[in-house]
Amino acid sequence: MDCLFNSCDTYYKRPFGALPAGQTLHLALTIPENLGYVDPHLVLQKEGPGDQPVYYRMQFDGQTPGLNHFSVDVRVEDVGLYFYYFDLYTDFRRIFRGKMGEGVLSWQDGERWQLTVYDPDFETPDCVKGGVFYQIFPDRFCEAVENKHMPFSDRIYRADKHAEPFWQPNETGGHLNHDYFGGDLKGIQLKLPYLHQLGVTYIYLNPIFEAHSNHRYNTANYLNVDPLLGSNKDFEELCQAAARFGIRIILDGVFSHTGSDSLYFNKEGRYGSGGAYRDPNSPYRPWYDFSPQYNGGYRSWWGFDTLPEVNEEDPSYVAFITGKGGVIDTWLRRGAAGFRLDVADELPDAFIEKIRAAVKRAGPDKLLIGEVWEDATTKYGFGHRRTYLLGKGLDSVMNYPFKNAVLDFVCGKPAEDAADEILSICEHYPAPALHTALNFLSTHDTERALTVIADEPANGRGREWQSGRSVTGEAYEEGLVLLKMAYAIIFTLPGVPCVYYGDEIGMQGYRDPFNRAFYLWDSHEERLRPVIAQLAELRKTCDAFREGDIRVLRAEGGILHFQRIGEYEVAEIIANRTDHMIVEQLSSGKFTEVNPMGFTITVEEIGHNPNHSYYDYQ
């Protein structure tokens, strides 16, 4: 059947994707004559208590051979989530969403299209767009001062940087999260030239605040750098040195819980006689919920008694984090360029909005990213849809859906499924958020990308099975080829790519702690680094990758072909996951060959851009 509607085609829907409130939405249908008489209506419903579907009759726009054309214009005033479909008003036929936004005729209920309507004043930092992030797990990147003194007696120093991180939990006599390889801020500063050469413009640091575990997600003191990493002055000097290379620093903000071993809770007594656990009159007592209904007598994050949850609505806690002179102010004043919020979907929207206000007090160029693992516009929590991506909260989020789609594709998933998942996010996210979303293949919370591609899935098998695993030989070689392809896709999709430290030298590992090994500075794997550097340079010089539109030209089996369309240039990306060479036609009419398990990126000018010329990369 001819196309009835396609939300990814601007003939049928303008503008593409999410809509600023107060703007007019144009929708069109092409209905085959052989369907007989129809009287199409748009059925649009805002999600919310008491909101009812609204029917808009579509006007007849004339005919072309075999097709009747209809359209409707609707001005949408209120911020929120809307869902729509089309009712043909004859024979109970309706049009619902199919793959990649295409309309499907049905006599039964189906999937509705989503329309995200966001605050028209929503803006995100321009300096992020076109850039490249690099994520560093601070203890495992680079040690400037070797064999350093451990600042606390319960830390175990690992001098052998090739050793596997301890993986046995304390309950069985091991030292999970208590072993330290000595990475520090001065070490990061030493490697700034390396990161600059790689094309990095932002560093995202996992937590650096004082804490008593190597991951530092159990904050002990929000206002001081962990002494093993260095001092507050060292952080300021790192930011200043990074700025000279055009690199900014983003910090991890862990504001949903603290450590039990902290200045604020102090269950273990490391910080004297005060703290909420030991002193009912402590100024920090209102931050926590104490009750016999909880195991251990207090509410904790996911039941871990070492991570007492904070009450993010307590005025004194909110003021401590977001008030003038508070935690956000302090670190931005020291040189940070923004924050990534840990478990953002577990923070109340009102608290996130206050954090945003604190971040933006330091300037509109400061960034606020949230950890959300799903589609952030449809996330449900605290009894309602979350609103943090509608313009008053986060700038954007970590883009797990893109990670999953790209890795699934290079591992064998049909291109049409991957394209559908990618286009769904592109349709749902407000443009300011889409173009600052953090796109990655690995993180400290996920398996290394090369492990996902080249090794077998853990499938629930524990750390003992995962320990020591590493693919070599043919599996490694093929995995590295596919990893290049995956990074080529991630670097050219809407959003900002992020390289997890060590991915560029083919580091492997299942989930923590195996994905958190020390960076192998003596590695001889040099094949991926120049690819990433070239992709980073391309992003910097080609305007299509900053805020360009996306259009999928072909998604079939092992072939993914899409465009990014900027003001001055059009880029076409073709990924060929098959085992044979293909010849693909570009939108310009030219033909290009793509090698087996290879990719091409072609950029052509569509307007005058003095900074760029024709580019073709395989």
Side-chain angles (χ1 to χ4, degrees):
M1 180 179 286
D2 293 302
C3 184
L4 304 166
F5 176 79
N6 190 327
S7 59
C8 299
D9 185 331
T10 53
Y11 171 80
Y12 293 99
K13 178 178 181 289
R14 292 194 302 272
F16 170 79
L19 188 76
Q23 193 172 110
T24 297
L25 173 68
H26 176 81
L27 299 171
L29 296 178
T30 51
I31 307 298
E33 283 185 334
N34 60 21
L35 289 183
Y37 174 78
V38 294
D39 184 16
H41 285 62
L42 164 68
V43 185
L44 179 67
Q45 182 172 5
K46 184 183 181 186
E47 184 179 70
D51 285 309
Q52 298 296 316
V54 180
Y55 289 72
Y56 298 89
R57 189 175 189 180
M58 302 181 74
Q59 69 178 21
F60 177 62
D61 290 336
Q63 294 179 310
T64 55
L67 293 174
N68 292 314
H69 295 257
F70 300 87
S71 68
V72 65
D73 293 298
V74 179
R75 186 178 173 89
V76 187
E77 299 288 354
D78 297 330
V79 170
L81 278 194
Y82 295 75
F83 295 89
Y84 66 94
Y85 65 97
F86 302 94
D87 193 331
L88 298 186
Y89 262 61
T90 57
D91 194 26
F92 303 101
R93 292 172 298 188
R94 289 167 290 175
I95 300 173
F96 292 106
R97 187 187 188 278
K99 272 192 177 175
M100 291 187 278
E102 191 159 317
V104 176
L105 194 65
S106 178
W107 283 266
Q108 299 176 333
D109 280 343
E111 182 183 350
R112 291 156 170 76
W113 285 272
Q114 177 181 318
L115 177 67
T116 307
V117 179
Y118 61 95
D119 191 315
D121 295 327
F122 186 19
E123 294 182 353
T124 53
D126 283 337
C127 51
V128 176
K129 302 160 190 174
V132 174
F133 273 68
Y134 190 88
Q135 181 187 350
I136 292 175
F137 194 82
D139 184 61
R140 307 293 162 82
F141 184 61
C142 181
E143 183 182 37
V145 181
E146 296 182 358
N147 300 308
K148 58 170 68 70
H149 171 72
M150 291 289 101
F152 300 100
S153 61
D154 51 357
R155 300 190 180 192
I156 301 168
Y157 180 69
R158 308 292 303 278
D160 181 2
K161 305 311 178 193
H162 290 84
E164 184 176 72
F166 289 158
W167 54 268
Q168 290 180 321
N170 288 321
E171 289 78 7
T172 61
H175 300 281
L176 179 64
N177 299 326
H178 287 170
D179 60 329
Y180 292 79
F181 284 74
D184 48 34
L185 298 183
K186 287 296 184 186
I188 297 172
Q189 188 170 334
L190 281 175
K191 297 301 181 180
L192 288 173
Y194 166 80
L195 297 175
H196 176 67
Q197 194 173 41
L198 199 61
V200 171
T201 57
Y202 276 83
I203 297 172
Y204 152 42
L205 293 177
N206 287 112
I208 65 168
F209 305 156
E210 182 178 316
H212 301 291
S213 65
N214 56 39
H215 55 69
R216 298 187 174 93
Y217 280 93
N218 52 345
T219 310
N221 189 326
Y222 282 109
L223 296 176
N224 288 331
V225 167
D226 189 275
L228 186 56
L229 292 176
S231 65
N232 295 338
K233 183 180 179 183
D234 289 337
F235 176 74
E236 293 179 14
E237 290 178 353
L238 170 62
C239 292
Q240 292 163 7
R244 291 193 287 272
F245 287 96
I247 297 174
R248 302 177 186 222
I249 310 289
I250 300 294
L251 295 179
D252 215 330
V254 187
F255 302 136
S256 71
H257 53 271
T258 67
S260 62
D261 191 0
S262 67
L263 176 67
Y264 317 106
F265 200 77
N266 198 28
K267 180 179 180 180
E268 288 77 1
R270 190 189 301 262
Y271 294 90
S273 59
Y277 185 82
R278 294 173 172 267
D279 180 5
N281 297 314
S282 167
Y284 307 123
R285 184 82 176 189
W287 292 10
Y288 305 94
D289 291 335
F290 290 91
S291 171
Q293 71 180 357
Y294 302 115
N295 289 333
Y298 55 90
R299 182 166 58 98
S300 56
W301 186 77
W302 288 78
F304 294 102
D305 61 5
T306 58
L307 300 174
E309 278 199 62
V310 297
N311 176 8
E312 301 95 344
E313 296 176 342
D314 176 73
S316 66
Y317 180 72
V318 173
F320 175 72
I321 300 296
T322 70
K324 292 187 176 179
V327 172
I328 301 291
D329 271 4
T330 296
W331 291 100
L332 295 179
R333 186 179 67 250
R334 289 172 179 167
F339 281 85
R340 174 262 193 190
L341 296 184
D342 184 55
V343 294
D345 50 4
E346 298 180 25
L347 301 174
D349 288 306
F351 183 49
I352 291 177
E353 290 176 12
K354 288 183 172 65
I355 293 175
R356 179 182 183 83
V359 168
K360 299 301 179 179
R361 275 200 305 266
D365 62 324
K366 300 300 184 286
L367 181 67
L368 184 63
I369 292 282
E371 179 195 12
V372 181
W373 285 53
E374 304 85 5
D375 182 331
T377 62
T378 58
K379 183 71 179 181
Y380 198 85
F382 296 94
H384 63 272
R385 291 276 194 192
R386 303 304 304 274
T387 62
Y388 42 44
L389 215 61
L390 297 180
K392 299 291 187 183
L394 302 171
D395 283 324
S396 196
V397 293
M398 298 183 71
N399 202 343
Y400 280 88
F402 274 17
K403 175 193 81 76
N404 296 336
V406 173
L407 286 178
D408 286 348
F409 168 68
V410 300
C411 289
K413 188 174 187 174
E416 48 268 44
D417 291 343
D420 183 53
E421 293 165 12
I422 290 167
L423 287 174
S424 175
I425 293 297
C426 293
E427 280 195 88
H428 294 176
Y429 282 20
L434 178 63
H435 296 303
T436 50
L438 209 58
N439 301 339
F440 51 88
L441 296 174
S442 312
T443 76
H444 64 292
D445 284 328
T446 68
E447 297 89 349
R448 289 270 182 183
L450 187 55
T451 296
V452 174
I453 294 169
D455 211 336
E456 61 179 291
N459 287 336
R461 288 174 287 197
R463 290 189 174 111
E464 187 170 2
W465 178 86
Q466 298 172 30
S467 173
R469 290 186 63 89
S470 178
V471 296
T472 58
E474 187 176 333
Y476 173 83
E477 294 299 325
E478 181 175 322
L480 197 67
V481 169
L482 291 173
L483 183 58
K484 287 181 185 179
M485 180 192 297
Y487 265 115
I489 298 171
I490 279 291
F491 265 71
T492 52
L493 286 173
V496 186
C498 180
V499 178
Y500 184 48
Y501 82 100
D503 265 15
E504 73 272 26
I505 55 169
M507 287 180 65
Q508 302 177 47
Y510 289 88
R511 292 198 177 194
D512 62 294
F514 306 110
N515 56 359
R516 303 173 181 179
F518 200 79
Y519 189 105
L520 302 175
W521 288 106
D522 56 358
S523 169
H524 298 295
E525 180 54 75
E526 299 284 346
R527 288 172 286 179
L528 190 56
R529 281 194 293 191
V531 175
I532 288 176
Q534 285 176 295
L535 291 169
E537 181 64 22
L538 179 59
R539 285 185 56 80
K540 184 168 67 174
T541 57
C542 176
D543 79 306
F545 296 121
R546 291 180 56 82
E547 297 177 272
D549 295 334
I550 182 171
R551 182 184 176 203
V552 174
L553 300 179
R554 183 183 180 192
E556 183 180 352
I559 301 169
L560 179 62
H561 179 181
F562 61 96
Q563 275 183 329
R564 297 294 308 283
I565 306 165
E567 182 178 357
Y568 300 111
E569 290 152 323
V570 172
E572 291 195 34
I573 301 89
I574 306 169
N576 175 20
R577 198 198 60 226
T578 73
D579 59 3
H580 57 273
M581 179 177 287
I582 64 170
V583 177
E584 190 79 355
Q585 187 172 16
L586 302 173
S587 58
S588 64
K590 299 175 184 176
F591 289 87
T592 185
E593 293 182 344
V594 190
N595 291 325
M597 294 203 303
F599 64 90
T600 67
I601 304 172
T602 303
V603 175
E604 293 188 282
E605 293 187 10
I606 56 175
H608 176 63
N609 183 357
N611 298 318
H612 194 72
S613 58
Y614 178 84
Y615 178 92
D616 193 0
Y617 177 68
Q618 291 210 36

